[in-house]
Amino acid sequence: MENSSAFVASMVISVVIVLGIFAPQAEGRAFFVFGDSLVDNGNNNYLATTARADAYPYGIDFPTHRATGRFSNGLNIPDIISLSIGEVPTLPYLSPELNGPALLVGANFASAGVGVLNDTGIQFVRSVTFQILTPTPYH
């Protein structure tokens, strides 16, 4: 009985090792970002809003040394995460460049001034809104 258990265990381990060596590795991953100005990478550039980061000094430490719509002087956290997993930084979902292969990398849905409530960020004229649906009670 003990020998059969050891044999089954060794066979399972062998199959796992063989599959790990010869099976094709799936590379299906995408990175999607939701949030506010801390992770916004330029969605507000495409909106009529006063919450914008498209002028100096924003972007002075970015690789292009230009303002990109990020509310930072360089890369933000999603950019760093994208680069650390071996991908290019995600594009803003409002960008016309976000199509086809670029969409397979992921998308950034963050917008400065966004919040859980629709009244959040009202002073910025417009920001991306996310509607939260509350379940209705059953009657």
Side-chain angles (χ1 to χ4, degrees):
M1 186 78 171
E2 290 177 21
N3 288 341
S4 64
S5 297
F7 177 74
V8 170
S10 65
M11 289 304 294
V12 169
I13 292 171
S14 299
V15 169
V16 169
I17 290 172
V18 168
L19 288 177
I21 293 171
F22 295 110
Q25 298 297 315
E27 280 295 323
R29 62 179 170 207
F31 183 43
F32 295 93
V33 180
F34 299 91
D36 59 4
S37 60
L38 295 174
V39 292
D40 185 356
N41 69 343
N43 278 308
N44 283 16
N45 289 351
Y46 302 98
L47 297 174
T49 179
T50 57
R52 299 179 71 97
D54 57 354
Y56 182 84
Y58 295 113
I60 59 175
D61 293 329
F62 196 75
T64 61
H65 303 293
R66 291 186 171 158
T68 60
R70 289 166 175 82
F71 286 80
S72 65
N73 62 334
L75 298 173
N76 60 18
I77 296 297
D79 295 329
I80 294 167
I81 293 171
S82 292
L83 295 172
S84 71
I85 64 173
E87 297 291 343
V88 296
T90 57
L91 292 172
Y93 92 99
L94 294 174
S95 171
E97 297 172 18
L98 185 64
N99 55 32
L103 185 58
L104 296 177
V105 171
N108 188 314
F109 292 89
S111 176
V114 74
V116 174
L117 303 175
N118 286 336
D119 292 342
T120 305
I122 197 83
Q123 71 272 20
F124 298 121
V125 179
R126 182 160 184 214
S127 65
V128 175
T129 59
F130 297 102
Q131 296 203 355
I132 297 176
L133 302 175
T134 56
T136 56
Y138 295 105
H139 295 353

